[in-house]
Structures are given as structure tokens and as C-alpha cells.
Amino acid sequence: MSLSVGDTAPEFSLPDQDKQVVSLSDLRGTPVLLVFYPFAFSGICTGELCQLRDELTTYTDAGVRVLAISTDPVFSLKAFKAQENFDFPLLSDFWPHGETARAYGVFNDKAGMAVRGTFLVDADGKIAFSEVNQPGDARQQSGWKDAVATLAA
């Protein structure tokens, strides 16, 4: 089961595309948008993350850190970030496989991947927005932007 608004966001420490560990606890005091996606280089995921890249100032201007998370290994994420010029970290939930996605209730055991889960974590570590879409169901980012605007107000 996925997390709901008001729940405490599960802690995690995951390597980014450069093998630098990013921990949610280190970002306490700053709102964080967590964007779980199935796979690097796949069509819908690339489109969603490119839109996020192109509209990143919507989040950063509101003081929100953006972290994208998949079960891909760091080497794939490094190539994906370089190819698409992403200005936000891509975190690898590769091993233990999908452990963070499981903690957020967005791991598909049969396929071995994260589904499209989006969580806005407030500065106190509580879920302020939660949305889960299935792998083939592209997300509309207007809900994320509304949640960020509400949090920033």
C-alpha cells in the first residue's frame, strides 16, 4: 500500500548517478519531490523526466529539491542523465532491489520495478502530496505543481 498525505516519509540512503549517497534525512528542513519511475531510457519515463527538467524552476524557485528514483543501476542512470541533461539527481534503488520503492508502496514485485509514484515530502518529513500511477499511465504534473504552490504558500 502506498503512503498517504500526513504519513511520515520513509528514510532512505541511495547512490546517485555518480555513486554519491543521498539521504532523505540529510535534506530535512527542505521540501523534497520524490519521483519514482520504472526505467531509464523508456519512452514515458523519458518524457516525464524531460518535462520535469524543462519546468524544474517551478520546484527549485519554491525551495523544493527534486529527486528521481528508479531500480536502474547507477551506470545506466549516469548515461541517462548525460543524454537528457537532467539537472537533478537520479537515484538508484537497485540494491537491495527496490527496497525504497517498497517502503513507499510503489514496487511492482512481478516486474521488479517501481511504478510511477510521486511524493512531495515537506520540510518536517511528512508526505504533503501523494500520487501513484501504473507503468503505462503517464503522470500529469499539474498536481505536483499545485502541491508545491500550496506548500510554499
Side-chain angles (χ1 to χ4, degrees), residues 34-127:
L34 304 175
V35 181
F36 288 88
Y37 63 99
F39 296 113
F41 299 105
S42 60
I44 294 173
C45 297
T46 299
E48 287 180 340
L49 294 184
C50 285
Q51 180 182 353
L52 186 57
R53 174 200 64 207
D54 296 345
E55 299 173 0
L56 190 61
T57 57
T58 300
Y59 307 99
T60 57
D61 287 354
V64 175
R65 290 280 310 267
V66 173
L67 302 174
I69 305 170
S70 76
T71 57
D72 294 298
V74 293
F75 308 106
S76 295
L77 298 180
K78 187 172 185 78
F80 189 38
K81 182 173 182 173
Q83 177 177 305
E84 301 299 340
N85 297 309
F86 295 135
D87 291 330
F88 48 86
L90 303 180
L91 304 184
S92 175
D93 191 16
F94 183 73
W95 198 259
H97 195 71
E99 181 176 86
T100 299
R102 276 185 179 80
Y104 280 79
V106 295
F107 189 75
N108 180 321
D109 284 307
K110 276 189 166 183
M113 65 182 189
V115 296
R116 298 178 195 289
T118 311
F119 303 91
L120 179 60
V121 180
D122 69 16
D124 297 322
K126 300 286 186 187
I127 304 292

